């Protein structure tokens, strides 16, 4: 399927199915059939394609012919869409009005049937591709909203950030005693000049200060209002529908999520990527939520569960062992860890232009995520081969760097979650990260972190003499 999705999409006026596509249809899953139709008719919403597919008894060939015929006249499928006023980023679907036969023989709306569909479990060494928002929400710690912004707003933001990307940089980090560069460029965005000073002289990332900090652009601020609204709505939905007893997770904040910083990444071409990782928790705190807006070229976002290491396997624990520097971890240990992490396979989520992905509170502690290299990509009419990604973040006031611990080498300690050892999994720790910074050696600093139920730190025997300045919410700073 990867090779099929990487092909250049045909024009709407004359889509044709290849022989291999026709022959493989009877055994294809609904998701595969939708993927084929989406590649042939990229301007039509997925829910509408699902409706047509159902009306054609699951035949991709019949559905393709029907849509090709409709493309020559002015139909609801070819009209320019406008964003509904009632709900930000959400579009209505015909699937609530189309009925089909359920397993019990009754007629029910197709969207109710889709919600109950569950894809097969992931398998070792394999990738499960998910497309529908219902499947993504049910099987990953993510929510996706397609067509998030009105088309003109999404394109204007993309153009603004493409111009900004000329100033983006690659960051250096230490890996196995070698200095390497990130496989994509980025910049950090904040609201005010004072915050710019703080970000370059107080906040650290990966053990180093970042020089590439920029002022939030007008459209970046403007869009943050919609992001804040939808993310908070989706947080409440997930608590209600997914979490045990309809309650938030322990350490998850009960306060409203308010983005006050953003990382903007640029992936220029199919080979630019980022490997499997969990985002740094130092200023986000436990169980953070991140809103990630994708613009430009569509790419694959892959996630996989973190598989805990059994006690009898715990021969090398460089991350959690306070006597070992992170940079001294062996290649064999890394390979063993990667094999364990892939034991349940991985899940791929397609991120098209103008889609908002919400990484929910369990994401960073229990899963890793990546943007994988692609063999080929379909160019975007505005960005060409480039993808712009904005990750809106909420930095907690209680985790300002003036409050967080310093390690023995004088560097800011970073906050991590224990993910590998079964006996300590889920606990948080402050540790030295200097070993990952170019030209620096890490020390042995290690300290378990304690938090209240809302995820705010409980500082033992620590007197806070000054009140650190807070970061301004993007929306409020306009």
């Amino acid at each position: 399927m990867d090779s099929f999705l990487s092909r250049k999409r045909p024009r709407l006026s004359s889509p044709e199915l290849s022989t291999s596509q026709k022959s493989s249809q009877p055994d294809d899953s609904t998701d595969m059939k939708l993927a084929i139709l989406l590649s042939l008719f990229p301007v039509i919403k997925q829910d509408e394609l699902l409706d047509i597919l159902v009306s054609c008894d699951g035949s991709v060939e019949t559905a393709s012919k029907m849509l090709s015929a409709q493309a020559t006249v002015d139909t609801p499928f070819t009209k320019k869409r406008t964003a509904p006023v009632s709900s930000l980023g959400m579009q209505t679907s015909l699937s609530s009005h189309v009925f089909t036969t359920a397993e019990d023989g009754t007629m029910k709306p197709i969207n109710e049937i889709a919600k109950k569909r569950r894809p097969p479990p992931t398998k070792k060494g394999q990738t499960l591709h998910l497309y529908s928002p219902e499947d993504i929400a049910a099987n990953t710690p993510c929510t996706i909203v397609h067509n998030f912004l009105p088309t003109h707003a999404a394109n204007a933001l993309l153009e603004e950030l493409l111009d900004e990307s000329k100033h983006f940089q690659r960051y250096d980090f230490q890996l196995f005693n070698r200095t390497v560069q990130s496989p994509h460029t980025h910049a950090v965005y904040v609201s005010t000049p004072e915050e710019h000073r703080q970000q370059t002289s107080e906040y650290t990332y990966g053990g180093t200060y970042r020089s590439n900090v920029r002022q939030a652009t007008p459209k970046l601020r403007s869009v943050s209002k919609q992001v804040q609204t939808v993310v908070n709505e989706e947080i409440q939905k997930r608590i209600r529908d997914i979490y045990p007893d309809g309650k938030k997770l322990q350490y998850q904040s009960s306060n409203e999520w308010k983005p006050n910083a953003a990382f903007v990444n640029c992936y220029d071409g199919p080979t630019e990527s980022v490997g499997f990782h969990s985002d740094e928790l130092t200023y986000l705190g436990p169980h953070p939520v991140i809103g990630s807006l994708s613009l430009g070229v569509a790419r694959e976002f892959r996630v996989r569960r973190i598989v805990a290491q059994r006690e009898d396997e715990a021969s090398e624990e460089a991350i959690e062992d306070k006597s070992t520097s992170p940079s001294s971890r062996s290649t064999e240990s890394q390979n063993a860890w990667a094999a364990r992490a892939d034991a349940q396979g991985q899940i791929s989520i397609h991120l098209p232009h103008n889609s908002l992905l919400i990484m929910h509170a369990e994401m960073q502690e229990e899963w890793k995520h990546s943007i994988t290299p692609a063999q080929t990509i379909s160019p975007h009419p505005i960005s060409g081969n480039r993808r712009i990604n904005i990750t809106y973040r909420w930095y907690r006031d209680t985790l300002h760097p003036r409050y967080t611990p310093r390690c023995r080498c004088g560097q800011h300690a970073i906050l991590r979650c224990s993910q590998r050892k079964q006996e300590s999994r889920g606990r948080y720790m402050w540790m030295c990260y200097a070993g990952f910074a170019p030209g620096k050696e890490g020390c042995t600093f290690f300290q378990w972190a304690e938090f209240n139920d809302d995820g705010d730190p409980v500082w033992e025997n620590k007197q806070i003499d000054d009140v650190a300045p807070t970061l301004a919410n993007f929306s409020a700073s306009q």
Side-chain angles (χ1 to χ4, degrees), residues 271-312:
T271 61
E272 296 213 345
S273 60
V274 61
F276 276 103
H277 67 285
S278 296
D279 290 329
E280 193 174 309
L281 302 176
T282 308
Y283 310 119
L284 303 174
H287 286 149
V289 175
I290 295 175
S292 176
L293 180 59
S294 294
L295 301 167
V297 164
R299 293 291 296 269
E300 272 193 72
F301 179 78
R302 295 198 178 189
V303 300
R304 67 186 185 196
R305 287 185 182 274
I306 296 171
V307 180
Q309 185 175 1
R310 297 194 307 271
E311 188 174 0
D312 59 359

Side-chain angles (χ1 to χ4, degrees), residues 432-443:
C432 178
Y433 210 62
F436 281 114
K440 296 182 180 179
E441 288 291 332
C443 66

Side-chain angles (χ1 to χ4, degrees), residues 86-383:
S86 58
S87 180
L88 287 171
M90 307 296 284
Q91 297 195 12
T92 57
S93 170
L94 295 175
S95 60
S96 61
H97 306 289
V98 177
F99 286 75
T100 188
T101 305
E103 292 181 0
D104 59 5
T106 61
M107 298 297 290
K108 293 183 178 179
I110 187 64
N111 64 337
E112 291 187 13
I113 304 298
K115 287 182 180 179
K116 295 181 179 179
R117 287 190 296 113
R118 292 292 181 268
T122 54
K123 297 179 181 180
K124 182 177 180 179
Q126 295 185 5
T127 300
L128 175 65
H129 294 260
L130 299 182
Y131 297 91
S132 75
E134 293 83 7
D135 285 345
I136 291 168
N139 294 275
T140 74
C142 302
T143 298
I144 193 167
V145 180
H146 293 122
N147 304 310
F148 175 67
L149 297 169
T151 301
H152 67 89
N155 292 343
L157 178 60
L158 174 59
E159 290 174 343
E160 181 183 70
L161 294 177
L162 285 171
D163 186 62
E164 282 282 304
S165 69
K166 295 181 293 186
H167 307 287
F168 290 4
Q169 298 175 357
R170 301 181 190 274
Y171 58 89
D172 295 333
F173 60 96
Q174 197 82 0
L175 183 65
F176 304 131
N177 298 317
R178 292 188 301 112
T179 298
V180 296
Q181 282 193 327
S182 62
H184 66 277
T185 59
H186 92 296
V188 180
Y189 283 80
V190 290
S191 295
T192 67
E194 166 57 23
E195 291 174 14
H196 182 279
R197 185 198 64 77
Q198 289 187 63
Q199 288 287 336
T200 54
S201 62
E202 295 191 51
Y203 288 86
T204 61
Y205 301 93
T208 60
Y209 296 109
R210 291 285 168 88
S211 60
N212 193 21
V213 180
R214 299 183 62 77
Q215 200 85 15
T217 60
K219 291 182 174 59
L220 192 65
R221 285 200 185 107
S222 176
V223 169
S224 69
K225 292 182 178 180
Q226 289 119 297
V227 174
Q228 180 174 329
T229 298
V230 173
V231 168
N232 280 292
E233 289 175 354
E234 294 299 330
I235 289 173
Q236 294 308 313
K237 288 180 185 177
R238 192 159 187 89
I239 292 174
R240 181 193 66 208
D241 299 338
I242 303 293
Y243 294 165
D245 302 321
K247 298 180 180 178
K248 74 174 184 68
L249 302 182
Q250 186 182 25
Y251 307 135
Q252 181 180 1
S253 177
S254 58
N255 296 325
E256 182 183 10
W257 182 85
K258 296 181 179 180
N260 53 17
F263 284 19
V264 182
N265 305 296
C266 179
Y267 299 85
D268 189 356
T271 61
E272 296 213 345
S273 60
V274 61
F276 276 103
H277 67 285
S278 296
D279 290 329
E280 193 174 309
L281 302 176
T282 308
Y283 310 119
L284 303 174
H287 286 149
V289 175
I290 295 175
S292 176
L293 180 59
S294 294
L295 301 167
V297 164
R299 293 291 296 269
E300 272 193 72
F301 179 78
R302 295 198 178 189
V303 300
R304 67 186 185 196
R305 287 185 182 274
I306 296 171
V307 180
Q309 185 175 1
R310 297 194 307 271
E311 188 174 0
D312 59 359
E313 295 177 323
S315 57
E316 288 192 42
E317 284 298 317
I319 287 293
E320 296 175 14
D321 186 351
K322 52 191 172 184
S323 65
T324 309
S325 169
S327 60
S328 66
R329 202 181 334 155
S330 69
T331 303
E332 291 77 10
S333 175
Q334 286 287 310
N335 292 339
W337 167 232
R340 284 193 300 275
D342 197 37
Q344 293 179 303
Q346 57 189 354
I347 294 174
S348 173
I349 301 172
H350 185 65
L351 297 181
H353 170 65
N354 195 18
S355 60
L356 178 70
L357 184 85
I358 296 111
M359 293 186 276
H360 286 286
E362 64 271 41
M363 179 71 164
Q364 308 307 328
E365 282 85 346
E366 300 174 18
W367 296 68
K368 290 186 180 291
H369 57 280
S370 74
I371 296 292
T372 57
Q375 290 185 346
T376 58
I377 54 178
S378 298
H380 187 270
I382 294 175
S383 67

